[in-house]
């Protein structure tokens, strides 16, 4: 079978490498970290994976944690009242048709990397650069770059026509907490939208202690509008300081969730992260000094703000699309036009994730506020909104059109009820 090289062992690179291996390809995986370094390293994500993305893993038997990981059964959406502290101006919740899951990427990536090596895959541990890609292209029919937000992704030119932002729109603070009180009712991603300030998210996940015991925990992510009242993490001293600042913000802005976390501790000393993401889309094909093309995959070419919890799911989706197209290609060349078409196949889906996520980074227009407001009183509308997280194309066309938003609400009985009253 044809030799293929994948640079980057995250959600996208590992899933594709394991998928190709499953189909008999001879795969070389290049990673900058051993499984042990990943396991003992810093947390990377809240990694909520919705159903369709989970299915792409299940098709390859990569769902090792299905029976262990607590399911995320729904999404609860709240807007704190701007003038009445401790009260909500808006809130609704609904169940997902199929649960989502969050397994600590440190656990997942380390295990997937060991699985790949255990099945005979070649793993090269090095900080890859253009010379690495060049070397691999001498001996492999196809070289893919899946290095996430790492520097190597800069070989792909930014596509300004698909990238409305050129700077981070949020400053992020993430903590993995244990001893968090479960929310009442079903488990959920709790999504607090604080107009002008940012967002606060909580969602349950599963990690593993250094001693190897499974540990359910809660991801807490604060997304701060730069310069706003949540943006207090630039000069943090250490993880304990970060946690104290996060708890203070939660007490002030989302006391209903603060009550759940006030007695919590970090899962481990590496259980915090601060950072920022510039949302951008890059051109998927880069040219090496030799003139050979390489293809970008995952966050290396499409990175969105984590606000909508879609990056890992999109990376899973991308790897599934790329796998299918590689299989279809059989012995035909992986040339530039095949690479471009492969990406465009994925972009047919990813464009909606990007457009939706970018839209949520700005103030919601009146027709979107109208849908959110009506969702409080119409469970069918709340259900449709919540389940859109599993398949973001469903937010269109209503997200961008007041007329379509009215039609969307009418389909869920809103207009009919409004005319009766
Ligand atoms: C705070 C936060 C919260 C998030 N929450 C969610 C969420 O709830 N749901 C969701 O779906 N997504 C979420 N995401 C996004 C998600 O984690 C990423 O989009 C996803 O992991 C991207 O997969 P990837 O394989 O493209 O990149 P990554 O998973 O980042 O993997 C890239 C890999 O490449 C390696 N690498 C980098 N440079 C090199 C190099 N030069 N040589 C060799 N290897 C290299 C890295 O070590 C890494 O292992 C979140 C992100 C953040 C920051």
């Amino acid at each position: 079978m044809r030799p293929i090289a994948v640079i980057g062992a995250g959600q996208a690179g590992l899933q594709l490498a394991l998928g190709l291996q499953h189909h008999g390809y001879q795969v070389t995986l290049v990673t900058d970290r051993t499984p042990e370094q990943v396991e003992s390293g810093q947390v990377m994500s809240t990694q909520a994976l919705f159903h369709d993305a989970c299915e792409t893993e299940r098709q390859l038997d990569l769902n090792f944690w299905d029976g262990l990981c607590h399911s995320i059964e729904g999404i609860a959406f709240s807007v704190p009242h701007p003038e009445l502290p401790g009260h909500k101006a808006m809130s609704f919740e609904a169940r997902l048709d199929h649960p989502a899951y969050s397994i600590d990427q440190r656990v997942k990536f380390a295990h997937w990397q060991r699985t790949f090596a255990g099945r005979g895959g070649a793993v090269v541990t090095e900080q890859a650069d253009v010379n690495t890609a060049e070397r691999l292209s001498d001996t492999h029919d196809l070289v893919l770059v899946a290095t996430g937000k790492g520097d190597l992704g800069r070989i792909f030119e930014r596509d300004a026509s698909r990238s409305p932002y050129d700077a981070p729109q949020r400053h992020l603070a993430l903590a993995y907490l244990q001893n968090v009180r479960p929310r009442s009712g079903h488990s959920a991603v709790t999504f607090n939208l604080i107009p002008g300030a940012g967002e606060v998210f909580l969602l349950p996940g599963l990690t593993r202690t250094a001693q190897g015991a499974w540990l359910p925990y809660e991801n807490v992510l604060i997304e701060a509008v730069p310069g706003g009242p949540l943006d207090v993490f630039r000069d943090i001293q250490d993880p304990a300081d970060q946690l104290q600042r996060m708890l203070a913000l939660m007490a002030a802005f989302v006391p209903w969730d603060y009550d759940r976390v006030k007695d919590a501790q970090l899962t481990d000393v590496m259980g915090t992260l601060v950072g920022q993401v510039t949302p951008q889309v890059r051109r998927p094909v880069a040219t090496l000094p030799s003139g050979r093309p390489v293809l970008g995959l995952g966050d290396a070419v499409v990175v969105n703000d984590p606000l909508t919890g879609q990056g890992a799911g999109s990376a899973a989706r991308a790897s599934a699309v790329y796998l299918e197209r590689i299989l279809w290609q059989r012995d035909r060349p992986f040339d530039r036009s095949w690479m471009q078409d492969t990406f465009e196949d994925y972009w047919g889906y990813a464009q909606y994730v990007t457009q939706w996520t970018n839209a949520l980074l700005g103030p919601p227009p009146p027709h979107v506020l109208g849908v959110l407001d009506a969702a409080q009183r119409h469970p069918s509308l709340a259900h449709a909104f919540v389940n859109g997280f599993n398949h973001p194309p469903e937010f269109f066309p209503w997200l961008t059109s007041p007329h379509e938003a009215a039609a969307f609400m009418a389909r869920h009985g809103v207009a009919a009820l409004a005319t009766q009253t």
Side-chain angles (χ1 to χ4, degrees), residues 7-13 30-33 44-49 105 109 126-129 146-152 172 174 203 221 273 277 297-300 306 309-313 315:
I7 306 175
Q11 177 73 41
V30 181
T31 172
D32 57 356
R33 291 181 298 168
M44 296 168 267
S45 179
T46 60
Q47 69 260 316
L49 219 60
Q105 285 185 339
F109 296 171
E126 74 175 61
Q127 178 81 34
D129 58 15
T147 47
K149 295 176 265 298
D151 285 347
L152 186 56
L172 313 174
L174 169 66
L203 60 127
L221 173 62
L273 178 75
V277 173
L297 167 67
D299 272 9
Q310 297 291 316

Side-chain angles (χ1 to χ4, degrees), residues 49-52 54-55 58 71-74 95-101 383 386-387 390:
L49 219 60
F50 293 92
H51 176 72
D52 287 359
C54 293
E55 285 293 290
R58 289 187 187 118
S71 54
I72 302 170
E73 295 163 305
R95 282 183 181 266
L96 291 159
D97 289 338
H98 305 279
Y101 297 94
H383 174 265
V386 159
N387 280 278
N390 179 50

Side-chain angles (χ1 to χ4, degrees), residues 95-386:
R95 282 183 181 266
L96 291 159
D97 289 338
H98 305 279
Y101 297 94
S102 167
I103 172 83
D104 182 350
Q105 285 185 339
R106 295 176 297 180
V107 175
K108 178 193 260 188
F109 296 171
H111 188 73
W112 277 3
Q113 202 187 125
R114 288 192 183 106
T115 302
F116 175 80
R119 292 175 181 170
V123 179
V124 177
T125 307
E126 74 175 61
Q127 178 81 34
D129 58 15
V130 172
N131 295 327
T132 315
E134 195 73 271
R135 191 184 77 225
L136 291 164
S137 74
D138 285 340
T139 48
H140 294 77
D141 286 8
L142 173 63
V143 177
L144 295 121
V145 175
T147 47
K149 295 176 265 298
D151 285 347
L152 186 56
R154 294 200 189 135
I155 62 172
F156 301 100
E157 188 191 339
R158 178 172 176 271
D159 184 343
S161 70
R162 290 172 170 174
S163 308
Y165 298 114
D166 58 8
Q169 300 301 300
R170 296 288 187 273
H171 290 162
L172 313 174
L174 169 66
Y176 281 22
L177 301 183
Q178 56 180 320
N179 296 325
V180 172
R181 195 161 52 76
R183 69 186 294 277
S184 56
H186 58 75
S187 62
V189 177
T190 64
F191 185 148
N192 297 286
L193 191 161
I194 308 163
E199 298 79 20
V200 178
F201 300 91
L202 286 83
L203 60 127
L206 181 72
T207 186
R208 207 164 191 179
T209 65
Q211 292 71 37
W214 293 111
L215 178 64
Y217 75 98
E218 194 82 9
N219 296 278
V220 179
L221 173 62
I222 296 184
E223 293 231 351
V225 171
L230 302 181
D231 189 12
V232 301
F233 299 100
R234 291 173 203 225
D235 60 344
I236 48 164
Q237 307 297 314
D238 53 34
D241 180 27
Q242 179 179 333
L243 177 57
Q244 284 318 309
R245 293 186 197 203
M246 291 178 76
L247 292 177
L249 289 177
M250 291 178 73
F253 286 93
V254 289
W256 43 89
D257 282 333
Y258 172 72
D259 270 355
R260 295 178 51 209
V261 300
K262 61 187 178 196
D263 300 320
Q265 303 88 37
L266 293 171
T267 54
D268 59 273
V269 288
M270 303 302 267
T272 58
L273 178 75
V274 289
Q276 51 193 31
V277 173
T278 300
Q280 55 191 338
V281 179
R282 294 178 177 274
R283 298 195 190 281
V285 186
T287 304
L288 298 174
S290 62
R292 292 189 202 116
V294 290
L295 175 60
L297 167 67
D299 272 9
V301 284
V302 180
V303 63
N304 293 308
D305 188 278
L307 173 77
T308 50
Q310 297 291 316
S314 297
R317 177 96 179 198
S319 73
V321 170
Y322 284 32
L323 174 62
E324 200 171 310
R325 290 197 49 110
I326 290 169
L327 299 182
W328 280 344
Q329 199 61 359
R330 295 175 181 268
D331 292 329
R332 294 185 291 271
F334 298 119
D335 56 18
R336 241 169 244 282
S337 77
W338 174 85
M339 290 182 179
Q340 186 69 45
D341 290 350
T342 296
F343 175 78
E344 292 303 330
D345 195 350
Y346 165 60
W347 182 247
Y349 167 85
Q351 62 177 310
Y352 296 108
V353 177
T354 294
Q355 213 182 325
W356 168 51
T357 306
N358 286 341
L360 285 199
L361 287 167
H367 69 275
V368 173
L369 284 175
V371 169
L372 297 178
D373 177 51
Q376 299 183 97
R377 296 177 298 282
H378 298 272
S380 146
L381 191 63
H383 174 265
F385 182 82
V386 159

